[in-house]
């Protein structure tokens, strides 16, 4: 009997972990306790199965090194940086400003408020990276407005809960950092691979809202005209002026970047958007600051800036020349706006265009600046996160100054954000330390080989493996949070996927999309719990209309989530069927020419080597052989 247990200690250990978790013990302590318990058992049973169990008492001394290695992991240091960045921006009122402005922009359209929630959810996802912050913010701000104007309660709750989960897949996501660390891949590549799937998923959410608004217009009505603000003196909304500004800024961004060596791909898109947001902000700022004499001042500015651009370009100072080019574009736009308004009376810079620019551009600029530096390799994710954290403090301080509102940024806000960041970081670190203790024993009893053989022997090869893994992760997501899945399941699936020839970046993005469902599963989804905590539970009087509003039931929240779980599963299928939307990351990395490297190495005269000092031929496609 003891020999049978020794031969099958890996599956017994895994089953024991499942039992610990089902009994409700904390994940971190379940992992660590299970690992230590079975370490003692394995050492005692090692003589009965010497080929299966490779553990001994001295190996326990490696445990402190594994724990220290986890704590000194620089990649994971990006988690507190990005968390702090998001919390500062969210607590400084950015979410409220975005929802109010974008809600006004899309308001008259059927389902306009739902589109605004999805759009802002994607922006918050790219800044906070934390599902709880996104869902609670939008639940507090948007839900009462959607209920006020007659939105279906299931649609409203489903849109808010699902938009909050975009923080799991849109870079810079905490989930992708952990996924890259567990799969042993670059965080930058993981971000680049997840960029398009995140945008496509947002588009699928918006498509569902469009479908509902067509089939059942009463479920997603547009805002009444009296609720629309930021109007022009003639009563117009000024949306077409915003379109002109976006088009002009985008063209300038494309033109500026096309003069560089940046290749087409996610890098090019991110940097183009980054430049376009800077140009839009300069245009809006000049239009507001120059006032009545904008024609004369902007004409002088344009001439001076273009002169500086030509001078810098001729003297080879490309970076400053590009900066002058962007500022000159803003001056030219202000000049054209002034001329058109003076001679025709048309306003090319409406109040709506200015409001959207001043509210949206600062967080967008910070997001794309951080992502751009990571994508082009100028900064590591940890350095990008540190830059984002500092940038969020600067933006919050500027917002406080412009609005003259101390609540936008103060010491209390910073302390609360720091405490929340410390709690989340400690949560992640404790689970990871527990996982390290568990893996020390699990690998010592050849558990990784057992799992690898189990998965690679599935019928159907790669297809069978992917179907099984997606079903497994979907079912486990009913009971386990993402971090628990990432630290327990992913390290077991990664080696099997790599042995089957599956790209691990693509595999990680696919699982990241699948794991989003862990936040949306009725009745266990955390996103649903977050929304339930802020949704009205009892009848209340609306503060604007004075009408009595009915509460949202838990059943309505659950039914509202189901269509979005289906959409997330459709997105998993899209990633599987069209892997190019993830694999484009491979086309942007630095290319190494083995022949060129070999030639350079052959030019080195190294004493003591055969062949007259030249190095032996190197094969970059095969691992080195140790003789």
């Amino acid at each position: 009997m003891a020999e049978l247990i020794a031969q099958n200690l890996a599956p017994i250990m895994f089953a024991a972990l499942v039992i610990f978790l089902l009994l409700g013990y904390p994940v971190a302590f379940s992992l660590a306790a299970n690992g230590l318990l079975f370490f003692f058992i394995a050492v005692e049973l090692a003589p009965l199965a010497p080929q299966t169990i490779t553990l001994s008492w001295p190996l326990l001394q490696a445990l402190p090194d594994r724990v220290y290695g986890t704590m000194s992991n620089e990649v994971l240091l990006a988690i507190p940086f990005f968390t702090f960045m998001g919390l500062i921006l969210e607590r400084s009122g950015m979410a409220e400003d975005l929802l109010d402005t974008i809600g006004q922009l899309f308001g008259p359209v059927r389902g306009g408020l739902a589109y605004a929630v999805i759009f802002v959810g994607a922006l918050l996802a790219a800044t906070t990276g934390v599902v709880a912050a996104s869902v609670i913010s939008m639940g507090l701000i948007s839900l009462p407005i959607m209920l006020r104007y007659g939105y279906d309660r299931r649609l409203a709750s489903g849109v808010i809960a699902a938009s909050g989960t975009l923080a799991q897949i849109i870079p810079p996501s905490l989930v992708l950092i952990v996924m890259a660390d567990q799969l042993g891949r670059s965080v930058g590549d993981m971000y680049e691979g997840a960029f398009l799937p995140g945008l496509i998923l947002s588009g699928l959410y918006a498509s569902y809202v469009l479908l509902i608004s067509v089939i059942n217009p009463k479920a997603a009505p547009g805002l009444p005209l009296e609720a629309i603000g930021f109007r022009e003196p003639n009563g117009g909304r000024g949306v077409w002026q915003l379109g002109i500004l976006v088009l002009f800024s985008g063209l300038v961004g494309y033109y500026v970047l096309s003069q560089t060596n940046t290749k087409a791909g996610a890098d090019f898109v991110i940097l183009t958007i980054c430049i376009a947001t800077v140009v839009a902000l300069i245009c809006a700022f000049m239009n507001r600051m120059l006032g009545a004499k904008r024609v004369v001042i902007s004409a002088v500015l344009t001439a001076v800036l273009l002169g500086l651009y030509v001078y810098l370009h001729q003297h080879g100072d490309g970076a400053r020349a590009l900066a002058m080019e962007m500022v000159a574009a803003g001056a030219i736009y202000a000049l054209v706006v002034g001329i058109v308004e003076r001679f025709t009376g048309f306003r090319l810079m409406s109040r709506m265009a200015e409001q959207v620019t001043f509210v949206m551009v600062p967080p967008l600029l910070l997001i794309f600046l951080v992502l751009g530096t990571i994508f082009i390799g100028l900064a590591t994710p940890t350095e990008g996160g540190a830059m984002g954290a500092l940038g969020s403090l600067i933006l919050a301080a500027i917002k406080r100054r412009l609005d003259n509102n101390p609540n936008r940024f103060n010491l209390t806000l910073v302390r609360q954000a720091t405490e929340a960041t410390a709690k989340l970081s400690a949560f992640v670190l404790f689970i990871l330390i527990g996982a390290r203790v568990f893996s020390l024993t699990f690998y010592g009893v050849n558990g990784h080989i057992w799992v690898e053989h189990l998965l690679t022997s599935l019928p159907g090869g790669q297809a069978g493996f992917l179907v099984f893994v997606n079903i497994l992760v979907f079912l486990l997501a009913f009971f386990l949070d993402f971090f628990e899945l990432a630290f327990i399941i992913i390290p077991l699936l990664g080696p099997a996927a790599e042995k089957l020839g599956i790209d691990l970046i693509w595999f990680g993005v696919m699982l990241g999309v699948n794991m989003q469902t862990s936040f949306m599963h009725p009745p266990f989804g955390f996103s649903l719990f977050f929304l339930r905590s802020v949704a009205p539970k009892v009848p209340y009087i609306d503060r604007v209309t004075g009408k009595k509003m009915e509460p949202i039931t838990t059943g309505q929240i659950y039914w509202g989530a189901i269509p979005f779980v289906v959409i997330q599963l459709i997105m998993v299928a899209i990633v599987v069927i069209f892997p190019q939307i993830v694999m484009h990351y491979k086309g942007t990395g630095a290319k190494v020419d083995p022949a060129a490297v070999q030639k350079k190495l052959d030019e080195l005269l190294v004493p003591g080597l055969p062949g007259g000092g030249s190095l032996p031929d190197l094969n970059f496609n095969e691992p080195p052989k140790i003789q």
Side-chain angles (χ1 to χ4, degrees), residues 359-382:
V359 169
M360 275 186 56
V361 164
L364 269 178
L365 180 60
L366 182 62
I367 294 163
F368 290 119
L369 192 62
V370 169
L371 289 181
T373 54
I374 293 173
F375 281 10
I376 65 176
L378 191 62
T380 65
T382 302

Side-chain angles (χ1 to χ4, degrees), residues 593-604 614-615 617-618 620:
D593 182 4
V597 176
Q598 183 70 49
K599 183 179 178 181
K600 288 289 184 185
L601 291 175
D602 285 342
E603 294 173 359
L604 297 174
S614 62
L615 293 172
D617 288 343
L618 301 178
F620 290 86

Side-chain angles (χ1 to χ4, degrees), residues 113 146 160 373 614 616:
L113 287 176
M146 297 177 84
I160 290 173
T373 54
S614 62

Side-chain angles (χ1 to χ4, degrees), residues 95-273:
E96 187 172 353
D97 292 342
L98 281 170
L99 283 167
D100 180 53
T101 303
I102 306 304
Q104 291 288 336
L105 180 62
F106 290 112
V109 183
R110 281 185 196 167
L113 287 176
Y115 295 135
V117 167
I118 294 169
F119 187 83
V120 175
L123 279 180
L124 289 178
T127 53
T128 64
V130 182
V131 172
S134 298
V135 174
I136 291 173
S137 297
M138 293 191 294
L140 287 171
I141 300 165
S142 294
L143 191 57
I145 301 174
M146 297 177 84
L147 298 181
R148 179 183 306 149
Y149 294 111
Y151 270 71
D152 182 85
R153 281 164 163 71
R154 291 171 296 183
L155 176 64
S157 57
V159 164
I160 290 173
S163 299
T165 63
L166 289 171
Q168 297 294 94
I169 196 65
I170 292 182
S173 161
L174 307 185
V175 167
L176 298 176
I177 296 174
V178 174
M179 188 77 74
D181 178 69
Q182 293 300 299
L183 291 173
R185 290 297 182 267
S186 162
V187 176
D189 287 346
M190 192 70 77
Y191 278 176
E192 202 162 342
F195 183 69
L196 280 180
L199 295 182
I200 294 171
L201 186 59
S202 303
L204 291 177
Y205 289 165
S207 301
Y208 172 70
V209 172
L210 175 63
L211 182 65
I212 292 296
S213 62
V214 171
I215 296 175
N216 184 13
K218 292 182 179 179
L223 291 181
L225 293 179
E226 60 271 14
I228 303 298
F230 305 113
R231 289 191 175 277
E232 296 298 288
N234 62 1
R237 298 188 59 231
V239 176
W240 64 271
Q241 290 97 324
L242 176 61
I244 291 176
L245 178 60
V246 170
L247 179 62
F248 175 79
S249 304
L251 290 175
V252 172
Y254 179 82
Y255 172 74
V256 170
L257 206 63
S258 64
Q259 300 178 65
T260 67
N261 296 324
T262 308
K263 297 180 180 179
D267 298 9
F268 191 90
V269 173
I270 289 289
L271 293 174
T272 300
I273 295 174

Side-chain angles (χ1 to χ4, degrees), residues 467-511:
V467 170
F468 173 80
V469 164
N470 276 297
I471 293 174
L472 174 68
V473 170
F474 179 76
L475 294 177
L476 288 176
F478 275 93
F479 312 103
L480 299 177
D481 184 14
F482 163 76
F483 289 111
E484 297 159 6
L485 287 169
F487 290 133
I488 300 172
I489 303 299
I490 300 302
L492 302 179
L493 300 179
E498 191 169 23
K499 190 169 184 179
L500 288 170
I502 296 172
D503 183 90
L504 291 188
I505 295 291
W506 175 82
F507 186 65
V509 172
M510 180 196 70
L511 290 183

Side-chain angles (χ1 to χ4, degrees), residues 42 52-55 59 438-448:
T52 304
I53 301 174
T54 57
L55 294 174
L59 195 60
F438 178 83
S439 65
L440 176 68
T441 305
F442 196 68
Y443 278 60
V445 296
N446 283 340
H448 59 299

